[in-house]
């Protein structure tokens, strides 16, 4: 109860401060009333969803996600506005003290100056405010096809030009627009790749989240098959279960459902992809993540029946596995495919110029292609979304990778 009291007091104080900026720039009271109404609705909805709303657990439901998203949008608007206004108020306060102490006759804090700063503050704050709303309305389904050509000295000749489509982090429990998901699935199929690889997190918590979408995702196709691995969310670790048996059964049900959808789920095991006399090893591990994430992945077990000189593609959900274990392994894994980070669903990307997201402070390898010790990794930005029900700057991704035999020089 105390935490809600602190939250309400803090939120109201921020909103009241911003309200003064609105009153400074216009004499029309209806702007203030609109702002007050929106602020109250956002606050009350957040309190309702997170106090007496449905379901518990560390992963947000759709309704809780939107409550959080709208609160985040309002707080961002308020805080940016206050940064401008508070700096001006501090300047006026210090100047006033100086004037009183030293008897200077200089005028500070003119109304015109205050109005200009209020306009500037609200204008700047409106940019992330609009971006966050766009991210919830459109950005989360702004699917992008990203293409890469990767060259290898030892790629088997028959696989020169072999095309892989990778998707990751479906998070079906967050979906709220069937038409857009159908568009995304159709876009995957339009790539007409040789193989489709899914690198984990099909659900947020429970197998039942995927059941309404299973028939649609069953239409995904690739001539050499569809393969998958598990991500950290697939184990059901983020909600309470009445018994361990129910939690275990949920995971088993997900494995069965993936099979029914046509995916060959690799659980610390491998498959060989064959073209004529040539072959490459496809290795799939269960989730392995640094920190508090599940470490069910067993790279040694998964590769126990392949040869050291095989060309290898590894599917491992969390890129920290590549960083901590894979690139240091005795075996050379030519290409690793991961996901997990979502690119934090927020950042700035201008190809060839800038690629930034706060998630880089936790994951050095957080989106796109990286190369270390002669080994590549692609970190997919994710097909779905989680928590904040949107994406800003880091769009949902369908990766298409073409393997190329490096020409002799």
């Amino acid at each position: 109860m105390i935490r809600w009291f602190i939250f309400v007091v803090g939120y109201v104080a921020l909103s009241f401060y911003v309200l003064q900026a609105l009153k400074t720039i216009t004499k029309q009271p209806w702007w203030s009333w609109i702002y007050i109404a929106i602020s109250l609705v956002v606050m009350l909805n957040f309190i309702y969803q997170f106090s007496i709303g449905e379901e518990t657990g560390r992963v947000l439901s759709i309704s809780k996600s939107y409550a959080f998203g709208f609160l985040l949008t309002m707080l961002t608007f308020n805080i940016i506005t206050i940064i401008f206004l508070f700096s001006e108020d501090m300047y006026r306060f210090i100047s006033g003290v100086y004037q009183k102490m030293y008897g200077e006759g200089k005028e500070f804090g003119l109304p015109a100056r205050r109005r200009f700063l209020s306009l500037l503050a609200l204008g700047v704050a409106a940019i992330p405010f609009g971006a966050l709303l766009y991210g919830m309305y459109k950005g989360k389904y702004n699917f992008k096809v990203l293409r890469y050509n990767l060259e290898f000295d030892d790629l088997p000749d028959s696989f020169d030009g072999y095309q892989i489509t990778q998707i990751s982090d479906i998070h079906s429990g967050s979906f709220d627009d069937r038409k857009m998901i159908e568009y995304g699935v159709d876009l995957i199929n339009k790539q007409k790749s040789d193989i489709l690889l899914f690198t984990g997190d099909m659900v947020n918590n429970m197998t039942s989240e995927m059941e309404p979408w299973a028939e649609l995702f069953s239409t995904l196709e690739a001539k050499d098959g569809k393969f998958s691995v598990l991500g950290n969310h697939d184990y059901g670790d983020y909600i309470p279960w009445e018994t361990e048996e129910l939690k275990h059964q949920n995971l088993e049900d997900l494995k069965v459902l993936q099979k029914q959808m046509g995916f060959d789920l690799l659980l610390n095991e491998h498959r060989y992809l064959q073209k004529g006399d040539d072959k490459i090893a496809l290795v799939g591990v269960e989730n392995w993540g640094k920190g508090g994430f599940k470490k069910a992945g067993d790279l040694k077990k998964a590769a126990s029946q392949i040869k050291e000189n095989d060309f290898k593609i590894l599917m491992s959900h969390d890129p920290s596995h590549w960083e901590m274990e894979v690139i240091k392994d005795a075996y050379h894994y030519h290409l690793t495919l991961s996901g997990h980070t979502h690119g934090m669903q927020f950042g700035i990307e201008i190809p060839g110029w800038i690629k930034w997201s706060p998630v880089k402070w936790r994951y050095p390898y957080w989106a796109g292609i990286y190369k270390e010790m002669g080994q590549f990794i692609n970190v997919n930005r994710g097909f779905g979304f989680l928590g904040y029900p949107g994406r800003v700057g880091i769009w949902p991704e369908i990766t298409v990778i073409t393997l190329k035999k490096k020409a002799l020089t």
Side-chain angles (χ1 to χ4, degrees):
M1 192 65 182
I2 295 178
R3 62 174 183 165
W4 286 120
F5 175 77
I6 295 172
F7 166 74
V8 170
V9 170
Y11 183 85
V12 170
L14 290 175
S15 300
F16 179 79
Y17 205 100
V18 173
L19 187 61
Q20 307 316 302
L22 285 172
K23 289 180 177 179
T24 300
I25 66 173
T26 178
K27 294 181 179 179
Q28 299 295 329
W30 55 274
W31 277 108
S32 298
W33 288 114
I34 289 174
Y35 174 78
I36 291 170
I38 292 174
S39 297
L40 282 175
V41 168
V42 168
M43 181 185 72
L44 294 174
N45 182 50
F46 182 81
I47 293 172
Y48 169 78
Q49 293 295 342
F50 283 82
S51 58
I52 58 177
E54 84 287 3
E55 61 197 78
T56 60
R58 289 164 57 190
V59 177
L60 305 183
S61 64
I62 292 176
S63 57
K64 284 185 177 180
S65 291
Y66 274 97
F68 168 72
F70 287 124
L71 180 72
L72 178 66
T73 301
M74 287 300 299
L75 285 177
T76 301
F77 178 82
N78 288 349
I79 289 170
I80 292 176
T81 302
I82 287 169
I83 288 172
F84 279 85
L85 299 186
F86 185 72
S87 61
E88 165 67 2
D89 286 342
M90 288 300 297
Y91 171 75
R92 291 168 64 195
F93 173 76
I94 294 171
S95 298
V97 171
Y98 181 86
Q99 176 183 336
K100 188 170 184 179
M101 290 176 62
Y102 295 99
E104 296 283 338
K106 192 174 181 181
E107 184 83 32
F108 294 97
L110 295 174
R113 175 191 174 101
R114 182 68 173 185
R115 185 173 187 275
F116 170 76
L117 283 171
S118 296
L119 280 168
L120 179 62
L122 293 171
V124 172
I127 296 173
F129 178 82
L132 288 167
L133 289 179
Y134 173 83
M136 290 191 282
Y137 179 61
K138 287 285 189 180
K140 62 188 175 185
Y141 296 128
N142 186 23
F143 297 105
K144 300 295 182 182
V145 178
L146 302 185
R147 303 180 184 277
Y148 304 98
N149 292 326
L150 300 182
E151 292 187 334
F152 302 90
D153 292 317
D154 53 348
L155 179 70
D157 292 340
S158 299
F159 286 89
D160 186 25
Y162 196 74
Q163 184 170 293
I164 301 166
T165 290
Q166 180 200 1
I167 57 173
S168 192
D169 299 87
I170 289 174
H171 287 291
S172 53
S174 300
F175 291 162
D176 57 8
D177 189 329
R178 190 169 192 90
K179 184 177 179 181
M180 292 309 300
I181 300 303
E182 289 173 352
Y183 165 75
V185 169
D186 183 60
L187 192 58
I188 295 169
N189 280 332
K190 283 183 176 178
Q191 306 315 308
K192 299 188 180 300
S193 290
D194 296 291
I195 193 170
L196 175 64
L197 303 180
F198 169 62
T199 47
D201 277 1
M202 185 165 281
V203 298
N204 294 346
N205 296 303
M206 304 175 67
T207 301
S208 58
E209 297 166 3
M210 190 63 194
E211 289 171 355
W213 307 97
E215 184 177 356
L216 174 60
F217 279 85
S218 296
T219 65
L220 290 172
E221 54 187 20
K223 56 186 177 182
D224 289 345
K226 304 183 293 188
F227 298 84
S228 62
V229 293
L230 295 174
N232 55 299
H233 281 269
D234 295 322
Y235 296 90
D237 286 340
Y238 303 119
I239 56 171
W241 297 87
E242 291 183 10
T243 65
E244 280 298 315
E245 289 74 16
L246 287 174
K247 180 180 178 181
H248 175 75
Q249 187 59 52
N250 177 69
L251 179 57
E252 294 306 309
D253 290 345
L254 182 61
K255 294 176 183 177
V256 171
L257 184 61
Q258 291 209 28
K259 183 176 181 180
Q260 292 172 348
M261 293 165 59
F263 284 96
D264 186 353
L265 178 62
L266 303 183
L267 301 167
N268 295 322
E269 52 191 331
H270 82 283
R271 302 286 186 267
Y272 274 113
L273 307 174
Q274 195 87 27
K275 291 179 78 67
D277 294 330
D278 293 329
K279 63 182 180 180
I280 61 178
L282 178 64
V283 181
V285 295
E286 293 194 51
N287 190 77
W288 193 104
K290 68 179 179 181
F293 288 104
K294 182 179 288 291
K295 293 178 172 60
D298 189 334
L299 187 59
K300 298 297 183 186
K301 178 181 177 182
S304 61
Q305 298 181 45
I306 66 175
K307 298 177 181 178
E308 184 176 355
N309 62 349
D310 285 333
F311 188 94
K312 306 172 197 68
I313 297 175
L314 173 66
M315 301 168 65
S316 180
H317 176 70
D318 191 322
S320 66
H321 187 215
W322 188 73
E323 174 193 358
M324 304 295 291
E325 290 201 337
V326 176
I327 57 177
K328 303 171 185 176
D329 193 83
Y331 275 14
H332 181 89
Y333 289 89
H334 298 73
L335 173 62
T336 297
L337 302 176
S338 298
H340 181 64
T341 71
H342 300 203
M344 203 175 170
Q345 297 168 210
F346 173 82
I348 302 171
E349 286 198 82
I350 303 174
W353 289 85
I354 185 172
K355 183 176 78 172
W356 177 88
S357 168
V359 78
K360 67 178 291 184
W361 295 321
R362 175 168 173 80
Y363 293 97
Y365 310 101
W366 60 273
I369 297 287
Y370 302 88
K371 187 178 183 181
E372 298 284 354
M373 299 173 63
Q375 301 170 83
F376 290 97
I377 185 174
N378 180 62
V379 184
N380 185 284
R381 293 159 180 81
F383 184 88
F385 51 92
L386 186 71
Y388 164 63
R391 285 177 175 267
V392 178
I394 306 293
W395 312 120
E397 175 180 346
I398 299 163
T399 311
V400 177
I401 297 174
T402 302
L403 307 181
K404 305 292 288 187
K405 179 84 171 185
K406 186 176 290 187
L408 295 176
T409 57

